[in-house]
C-alpha cells in the first residue's frame, strides 16, 4: 500500500484523467534532511494540483515535516468522531536507521498514502484543516501546530486536567465508578472481528518481515559464495577456472536478484500488511470514541430518568421549587438528546466506514499477495534458469 503504484491508486492523481471533472492531486516528494544532531528532521515537498474552487489556485507547493502530518491527523481525529482516520507511519525509529535511504523512502511513501487517503475520503477531503495543511505557508503552519497542540495552554489547564484524571482513577479504584459498555450482539461481533484481524495481520506482517530478511541473507550468502568459488577456480586448471568463474558469476547475479526481490517484498508485501495493522489501530481508536459517546449517552439518560421521577414528586411536595427544577430538567433532557444523537451518528458513520474499509482491504491485500506470488514465481524461474544454464559445463567438467 505504500509503493508508488499503490499510492497513486488512492485518489485521482492525474488532472487529465477526466477533462473538466473535479480533481485533487497530491504528491509528497523530495525528502531532505534538515538540521544536525538531535534537532535533525526530514522535510518534504507537498505538491497539490486541483480545480476545486475552495482551494487558492490550480497548484500549490509547501514544505512539511512529520509533525505537520501528525497535526493534520490529530485535528481530523478530534473533529470527525466515527470516521476511520487514515493511519500515520510510526513516529519513532532506531536512531541509526531513521536517516537511512530505505527508511526515508518508506516514510515518504507512507505519508503520501496517508494524505491521499484523506483527499479521497468523502468527508475528510472537505475539511478546512486539510486545506490549511496543503496551502498554508510554513510560518502559519508552525503557529497552527504550536497553538493547537497545546503549547499555549495555561498552567491552570494542566492542573485541572491532572485533577480530573486523578479523580477518575480514584473512583475506579474505590469502586465508585463501574464503566458501562455497549453490549449489542452486532457490536460484540465487530469487536471480536477487529481484535482477531489485528492479531492475524500482525502475525502475517511478522512472517513477511522474516521473508524479507531471509531473501537478504540468502542474497548476501550467494554473493560471498560467488567470490569464494571464483578464488577456488583461480588456483585450479584452465577448465576448472572457467567453469568455477561462471558459477561464481551466476551466484553474484542471483545475489542481486534476491536483494531486489527483498526490496520488492518490503515495499509491496510487508509494508502493506504493516499499514493495515496501523489501520486496525485507527479503527480501535474510533471504537474508543464510540465507547465514550455511549457512556455519555447512558449516563445522561439515567440522570434524566432519575430527575424526571424527582420532578413529579416535587410538583406535589414542593411546588415553589418546581419551576426551577423543571428548567434544569429541560436543559438536562436537551443534553441527553444531544448525547444520544452524537452516539447514533458515530454508530452510523462506523457502519459506513467499515463497509468502505472492507472493500479497500480486500483490494489492497489481494494486490499485495498478487505482487508477492508474481515476484516469487519470477525469482524461482530466474534461479532455475541460471543454474540450468551451467549444468552442461559442470557435467563435462565432472566427467573429464
Amino acid at each position: 500500500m505504500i509503493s508508488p503504484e499503490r499510492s497513486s491508486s488512492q485518489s485521482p492523481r492525474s488532472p487529465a484523467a477526466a477533462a473538466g471533472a473535479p480533481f485533487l492531486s497530491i504528491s509528497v516528494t523530495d525528502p531532505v534532511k534538515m538540521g544536525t544532531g538531535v534537532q535533525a528532521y526530514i522535510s518534504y515537498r507537498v505538491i497539490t494540483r486541483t480545480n476545486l474552487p475552495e482551494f487558492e489556485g490550480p497548484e500549490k507547493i509547501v514544505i512539511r515535516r512529520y509533525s505537520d502530518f501528525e497535526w493534520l491527523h490529530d485535528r481530523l481525529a478530534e473533529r470527525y468522531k466515527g470516521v476511520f482516520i487514515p493511519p500515520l507511519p510510526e513516529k519513532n525509529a532506531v536512531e541509526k536507521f531513521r536517516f537511512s535511504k530505505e527508511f526515508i523512502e518508506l516514510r515518504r511513501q507512507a505519508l503520501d498514502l496517508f494524505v491521499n487517503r484523506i483527499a479521497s475520503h468523502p468527508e475528510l477531503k472537505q475539511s478546512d484543516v486539510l486545506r490549511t495543511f496543503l496551502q498554508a505557508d510554513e510560518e502559519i503552519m508552525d503557529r497552527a501546530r504550536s497553538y493547537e497542540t497545546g503549547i499555549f495552554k495555561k498552567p491552570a489547564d494542566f492542573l485541572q486536567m491532572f485533577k480530573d484524571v486523578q479523580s477518575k482513577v480514584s473512583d475506579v479504584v474505590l469502586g465508585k465508578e463501574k464503566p458501562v459498555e455497549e453490549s449489542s450482539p452486532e457490536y460484540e461481533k465487530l469487536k471480536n472481528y477487529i481484535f482477531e484481524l489485528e492479531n492475524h495481520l500482525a502475525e502475517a506482517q511478522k512472517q513477511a518481515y522474516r521473508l524479507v530478511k531471509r531473501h537478504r541473507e540468502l542474497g548476501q550468502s550467494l554473493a560471498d559464495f560467488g567470490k569464494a568459488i571464483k578464488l577456488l577456480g583461480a588456483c585450479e586448471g584452465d577448465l576448472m577456472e572457467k567453469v568455477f568463474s561462471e558459477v561464481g558469476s551466476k551466484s553474484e547475479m542471483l545475489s542481486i536478484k534476491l536483494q531486489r526481490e527483498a526490496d520488492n517484498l518490503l515495499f509491496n508485501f510487508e509494508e502493506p500488511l504493516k499499514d493495515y495493522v496501523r489501520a486496525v489501530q485507527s479503527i480501535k481508536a474510533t471504537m474508543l470514541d464510540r465507547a465514550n459517546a455511549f457512556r455519555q449517552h447512558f449516563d445522561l439518560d439515567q440522570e434524566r430518568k432519575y430527575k424526571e421521577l424527582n420532578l413529579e414528586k416535587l410538583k406535589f411536595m414542593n411546588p415553589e421549587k418546581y419551576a426551577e427544577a423543571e428548567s434544569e430538567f429541560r436543559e438536562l433532557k436537551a443534553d441527553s438528546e444531544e448525547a444520544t444523537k452524537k452516539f447514533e451518528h458515530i454508530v452510523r458513520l462506523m457502519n459506513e466506514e467499515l463497509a468502505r474499509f472492507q472493500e479497500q482491504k480486500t483490494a489492497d491485500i489481494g494486490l499485495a499477495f498478487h505482487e508477492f506470488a508474481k515476484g516469487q514465481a519470477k525469482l524461482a524461474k530466474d534461479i532455475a534458469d541460471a543454474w540450468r544454464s551451467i549444468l552442461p559445463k559442470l557435467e563435462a567438467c565432472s566427467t573429464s
Side-chain angles (χ1 to χ4, degrees):
M1 287 175 63
I2 68 165
S3 66
E5 294 81 5
R6 301 177 81 86
S7 184
S8 64
S9 69
Q10 300 299 319
S11 67
R13 301 293 294 275
S14 173
F23 69 86
L24 177 58
S25 165
I26 306 169
S27 299
V28 179
T29 65
D30 302 332
V32 176
K33 183 179 179 181
M34 309 292 289
T36 58
V38 295
Q39 301 297 322
Y41 64 92
I42 301 296
S43 71
Y44 308 88
R45 293 175 79 222
V46 179
I47 305 172
T48 303
R49 297 183 179 90
T50 183
N51 62 357
L52 298 176
E54 57 266 33
F55 283 80
E56 295 173 358
E59 180 175 284
K60 183 73 175 182
I61 300 175
V62 295
I63 304 299
R64 296 290 180 258
R65 55 188 295 183
Y66 181 87
S67 55
D68 296 320
F69 290 87
E70 197 172 33
W71 173 88
L72 174 60
H73 175 278
D74 292 349
R75 298 295 78 72
L76 292 174
E78 288 174 1
R79 298 188 184 190
Y80 292 88
K81 302 297 184 183
V83 173
F84 299 165
I85 307 300
L88 280 169
E90 290 81 359
K91 180 175 183 178
N92 298 319
V94 178
E95 181 64 28
K96 67 177 181 179
F97 295 132
R98 74 186 184 106
F99 293 117
S100 69
K101 183 177 179 180
E102 180 181 276
F103 177 80
I104 290 172
E105 178 58 15
L106 283 171
R107 172 168 281 190
R108 182 201 68 75
Q109 292 189 31
L111 292 174
D112 185 277
L113 176 58
F114 162 73
V115 74
N116 274 286
R117 278 176 169 167
I118 294 170
S120 64
H121 191 281
E123 288 198 45
L124 300 181
K125 68 181 180 183
Q126 302 177 44
S127 171
D128 60 331
V129 293
L130 175 62
R131 292 194 295 276
T132 297
F133 173 84
L134 294 176
Q135 298 180 124
D137 61 38
E138 285 75 67
E139 183 180 350
I140 293 175
M141 191 70 227
D142 286 345
R143 192 157 57 242
R145 188 180 67 244
S146 298
Y147 180 79
E148 294 197 42
T149 50
I151 287 181
F152 298 116
K153 281 187 176 179
K154 298 176 182 177
D157 293 336
F158 289 108
L159 181 61
Q160 186 58 49
M161 287 168 58
F162 175 76
K163 288 180 178 178
D164 290 344
V165 171
Q166 190 180 46
S167 175
K168 206 78 171 175
V169 171
S170 297
D171 287 346
V172 172
V173 171
L174 296 173
K176 295 179 181 178
E177 179 178 309
K178 293 182 180 180
V180 178
E181 295 185 357
E182 185 183 353
S183 59
S184 68
E186 295 81 6
Y187 189 53
E188 289 299 319
K189 184 178 179 180
L190 171 62
K191 286 195 294 185
N192 290 336
Y193 166 73
I194 293 301
F195 283 103
E196 285 186 9
L197 179 63
E198 181 181 34
N199 290 336
H200 296 324
L201 281 170
E203 181 62 25
Q205 185 265 320
K206 183 173 74 173
Q207 299 306 326
Y209 166 80
R210 290 179 177 176
L211 280 173
V212 173
K213 185 179 179 182
R214 179 180 177 277
H215 279 65
R216 285 181 172 161
E217 290 173 346
L218 182 55
Q220 185 60 53
S221 295
L222 276 171
D224 295 340
F225 173 74
K227 293 174 185 176
I229 206 69
K230 283 182 177 180
L231 292 173
L232 176 61
C235 70
E236 299 290 342
D238 290 341
L239 178 61
M240 292 289 285
E241 180 177 3
K242 185 176 180 181
V243 173
F244 278 23
S245 177
E246 189 167 353
V247 171
S249 295
K250 294 292 182 183
S251 296
E252 291 171 343
M253 179 269 290
L254 290 176
S255 168
I256 294 172
K257 288 184 178 292
L258 275 158
Q259 295 294 351
R260 287 176 178 168
E261 179 56 20
D263 290 340
N264 179 57
L265 281 173
L266 173 62
F267 282 87
N268 295 320
F269 189 57
E270 183 196 349
E271 279 299 317
L273 292 171
K274 191 174 184 180
D275 181 68
Y276 265 97
V277 173
R278 294 192 291 257
V280 171
Q281 291 169 353
S282 292
I283 294 175
K284 289 170 69 176
T286 306
M287 291 170 67
L288 180 60
D289 290 335
R290 174 171 172 164
N292 290 334
F294 175 79
R295 287 177 191 136
Q296 186 178 24
H297 146 73
F298 179 86
D299 290 345
L300 285 172
D301 187 57
Q302 292 296 106
E303 187 178 358
R304 178 191 61 79
K305 291 176 181 177
Y306 174 76
K307 288 202 171 183
E308 188 173 20
L309 290 174
N310 283 345
L311 189 64
E312 288 299 317
K313 294 178 183 177
L314 201 62
K315 188 175 183 179
F316 299 101
M317 298 177 64
N318 199 341
E320 58 272 13
K321 290 189 177 181
Y322 176 78
E324 181 182 349
E326 186 181 33
S327 176
E328 292 177 358
F329 174 75
R330 281 198 299 268
E331 290 181 11
L332 176 61
K333 184 180 179 182
D335 291 342
S336 176
E337 290 172 350
E338 183 62 30
T340 301
K341 288 179 183 177
K342 180 180 177 182
F343 170 67
E344 292 173 347
H345 178 68
I346 289 177
V347 171
R348 179 181 59 79
L349 280 180
M350 279 192 67
N351 290 337
E352 295 172 359
E353 290 290 290
L354 190 62
R356 187 182 296 113
F357 170 80
Q358 295 280 38
E359 182 180 357
Q360 190 66 55
K361 175 174 63 68
T362 299
D364 289 338
I365 298 299
L367 179 59
F369 274 88
H370 177 268
E371 291 297 310
F372 167 73
K374 185 171 70 173
Q376 292 295 293
K378 185 178 184 305
L379 179 63
K381 183 179 183 301
D382 289 344
I383 292 173
D385 289 347
W387 295 131
R388 191 179 293 113
S389 68
I390 59 173
L391 280 177
K393 294 177 181 178
L394 288 171
E395 289 172 356
C397 181
S398 65
T399 56
S400 62

